Amino acid sequence: MSRLVVVSNRVAPIQEGEATAGGLAAGVLDALKQKGGLWFGWSGEVTDSGEQKPERTVGPITLFTIDLTRRDYDEFYRGFANGTLWPVLHYQIGLGRFEWSEFEGYRRVNDLFARALTPLVRQDDLIWVHDYHLLCLAESLRANGLGNRIGLFLHTPFPSPGVFMTIPAHAALIKAMCAYDLLGFQTEIDRIAFLDYVVRHAGGSVDGMAEGAVLVAGRVVRTGVYPIGVHVDEVRAQAETPVNRRQATRMRAFLMDRLILSVDRLDYSKGLRQRFAAFERFLAEYPAQHGLVTFMQIAPPSRSDIETYQRIRRELEGEMGRINGRFAEVDWVPLRYLNRSFARNVLMPLYAEAQACLVTPLRDGMNLVAKEYVAAQDPEEPGVLILSEFAGAAQELDAALLVNPYDEQGMARAMDRALSMPVEERRERHQAMMAVMRRNSLERWRDRFEADLRGD
């Protein structure tokens, strides 16, 4: 049987018998642990030589990593991937920049990955590539002579053609993406946006093609929607473990009766500034909640060597001080902002303790915090998910309180509604979301994509 070869920008630092985080790492590891395989990507280290590390084996998984040089890191990772692609894919075109030299650096690192990976691949291997860092990898692998089936899963949104075309290299990127056999998206909206571009601007045709397939430049490229999920029962088990719950219970008691929780990587796409403004509006319009509710924002630092992210951190710290200065009492601090990361055995029971969870990105591919929060809840006394209509998760979890993250008053109203919602309605909404999440589990995401890539 053919091996599964997984390629991602970073290879997770895994150890034998060690629990892993959710999302990509969990799904990839499950697939590799079942059948064995190879995981290839950047080591996370920047060195003078950009050398390849010795292979490492963890159970049935073989890990291959390479370093990046400072030039590659600056042009590929800090430059085009996160300075151009990331903002545009999240519809934040005003925050994007473009330099042709950085695009060439992006292609150069995709070529570097391809040259290092090609000797490791067997003829019948399936190659599953992940995310926006590697849009050009299949084209590079084909140039190295590989005829294997290669699929790409895009964890981010894919924007409408008019937004994507603000990238001057848009045509070259789409041409490179069409070297994949299968392109997977989080939502139907993303898939349609890609096909719209290919048909309107790249000479593609869907006439006579199977559903989801497009003929472009003489190749048939299949597309599909594969919403990534979570291990529902595992999340609930982590939330219920007594040793985990004790700390969360103490924390909630310390933070007053009602806890509104948000957990996000520190990123402009997550809508953190808008969320702080909406909470301030909530405090101003619902004074009866004063002294009873605490909003805790956990925002681990992200890409801290990029100025845009440094600026967001400074702004949020300033807003926290201003809001607390306006509303706090001697025995009550309404807003707590934690700019650090926490282990899952801390977060899952904290999710279970929160009466409401604010997940309000300006745009997001999926957002697994929303799904983990729902999965962590006590089904008899569940909390309420307040979810941005622009998160991919909103396409599945429509029983949440859906909000527009640009609407401060609407978000404030949703917070008040969540905290006063009768338990019968909370249970009904929770049951509906759990049913969807069990259907679209992490296992199903993984198995469907792999089966479609194989052509089963």
Side-chain angles (χ1 to χ4, degrees):
M1 179 179 288
S2 62
R3 294 185 307 172
L4 181 63
V5 175
V6 172
V7 189
S8 58
N9 175 56
R10 288 286 298 274
V11 172
I14 58 174
Q15 302 293 335
E16 186 77 59
E18 185 178 90
T20 59
L24 183 156
V28 164
L29 282 171
D30 279 358
L32 291 172
K33 284 177 180 176
Q34 284 184 13
K35 303 168 186 174
L38 186 156
W39 192 353
F40 179 92
W42 176 36
S43 66
E45 296 183 21
V46 177
T47 62
D48 292 336
S49 60
E51 62 187 14
Q52 184 168 326
K53 300 285 192 184
E55 70 176 79
R56 189 162 68 90
T57 300
V58 180
I61 307 170
T62 304
L63 305 177
F64 286 91
T65 60
I66 58 173
D67 298 340
L68 293 181
T69 65
R70 172 56 59 180
R71 179 189 176 201
D72 286 342
Y73 176 79
D74 286 341
E75 294 180 355
F76 159 73
Y77 185 76
R78 293 180 70 244
F80 189 75
N82 289 309
T84 304
L85 274 177
W86 179 267
V88 172
L89 292 173
H90 290 84
Y91 289 76
Q92 302 296 310
I93 57 177
L95 296 175
R97 70 170 195 274
F98 180 83
E99 295 288 343
W100 281 105
S101 60
E102 292 182 343
F103 176 61
E104 290 307 314
Y106 178 86
R107 299 203 71 152
R108 184 176 66 249
V109 172
N110 274 247
D111 287 342
L112 172 66
F113 271 47
R115 289 195 304 274
L117 179 61
T118 296
L120 308 175
V121 176
R122 301 170 185 167
Q123 186 174 0
D124 61 345
D125 285 345
L126 287 178
I127 304 174
W128 186 5
V129 182
H130 289 269
D131 228 0
Y132 64 101
H133 310 84
L134 301 171
L135 300 184
C136 299
L137 182 61
E139 187 176 56
S140 296
L141 290 170
R142 303 294 185 205
N144 278 270
L146 289 190
N148 301 61
R149 295 194 61 78
I150 311 173
L152 171 73
F153 182 77
L154 189 63
H155 292 257
T156 67
F158 191 89
S160 60
V163 173
F164 192 72
M165 290 170 71
T166 62
I167 301 173
H170 61 90
L173 287 169
I174 293 294
K175 177 177 177 291
M177 289 178 72
C178 289
Y180 284 97
D181 296 293
L182 174 64
L183 293 169
F185 301 93
Q186 297 273 25
T187 71
E188 183 67 8
I189 293 170
D190 302 320
R191 190 183 73 86
I192 289 174
F194 173 80
L195 289 176
D196 190 20
Y197 180 105
V198 172
V199 171
R200 292 175 182 270
H201 305 288
S205 173
V206 295
D207 294 340
M209 293 288 103
E211 184 178 359
V214 60
L215 178 65
V216 55
R219 295 192 78 250
V220 175
V221 181
R222 296 177 64 194
T223 66
V225 176
Y226 309 89
I228 192 169
V230 298
H231 286 305
V232 173
D233 294 328
E234 182 180 298
V235 169
R236 180 59 186 156
Q238 288 179 324
E240 286 186 301
T241 302
V243 67
N244 295 344
R245 287 193 61 82
R246 280 195 288 271
Q247 181 180 356
T249 303
R250 287 196 303 269
M251 188 178 296
R252 195 186 103 177
F254 176 73
L255 294 172
M256 305 296 174
D257 291 335
R258 300 171 182 173
L259 173 63
I260 300 175
L261 181 66
S262 286
V263 180
D264 301 272
R265 192 166 46 79
L266 188 63
D267 190 279
Y268 49 77
S269 68
K270 301 300 183 180
L272 299 178
R273 285 175 289 192
Q274 291 83 352
R275 194 179 303 162
F276 278 26
F279 183 65
E280 182 177 18
R281 185 76 171 257
F282 166 78
L283 294 175
E285 296 190 357
Y286 300 95
Q289 298 281 6
H290 290 193
L292 299 175
V293 63
T294 299
F295 171 39
M296 176 183 287
Q297 174 67 63
I298 297 174
S302 168
R303 301 165 187 158
S304 55
D305 58 345
I306 299 176
E307 170 58 28
T308 304
Y309 293 84
Q310 297 169 2
R311 185 167 62 249
I312 295 169
R313 180 175 180 174
R314 292 192 298 268
E315 290 175 356
L316 291 178
E317 289 170 349
E319 283 298 283
M320 175 189 67
R322 186 185 62 77
I323 293 170
N324 283 333
R326 178 181 175 187
F327 291 102
E329 301 290 348
V330 173
D331 59 350
W332 174 60
V333 179
L335 173 56
R336 294 181 179 268
Y337 169 53
L338 286 69
N339 187 219
R340 52 165 293 193
S341 59
F342 291 87
R344 288 174 66 80
N345 66 332
V346 175
L347 286 179
M348 298 306 118
L350 192 57
Y351 287 153
E353 291 290 334
Q355 282 67 51
C357 184
L358 275 173
V359 180
T360 56
L362 305 181
R363 185 73 62 163
D364 221 337
M366 178 53 64
N367 197 295
L368 293 181
V369 169
K371 294 187 172 184
E372 288 177 339
Y373 174 76
V374 173
Q377 295 304 296
D378 177 354
E380 295 303 313
E381 191 66 44
V384 179
L385 174 63
I386 302 172
L387 180 61
S388 166
E389 60 189 19
F390 301 127
Q395 301 298 309
E396 299 173 88
L397 306 183
D398 55 2
L401 292 183
L402 298 183
V403 295
N404 185 319
Y406 298 96
D407 179 6
E408 290 178 14
Q409 187 173 29
M411 289 174 65
R413 191 179 302 120
M415 289 182 227
D416 182 65
R417 183 181 175 192
L419 294 174
S420 60
M421 186 179 292
V423 67
E424 293 80 8
E425 182 180 352
R426 285 187 276 127
R427 287 174 184 163
E428 184 178 343
R429 290 174 176 272
H430 180 257
Q431 290 168 3
M433 290 187 285
M434 285 292 287
V436 173
M437 286 165 49
R438 289 193 181 281
R439 286 198 303 272
N440 293 339
S441 65
L442 185 60
E443 296 90 342
R444 187 164 187 265
W445 166 77
R446 177 199 68 217
D447 293 344
R448 285 184 59 234
F449 190 94
E450 187 177 349
D452 286 353
L453 182 57
R454 290 183 188 277
D456 294 350

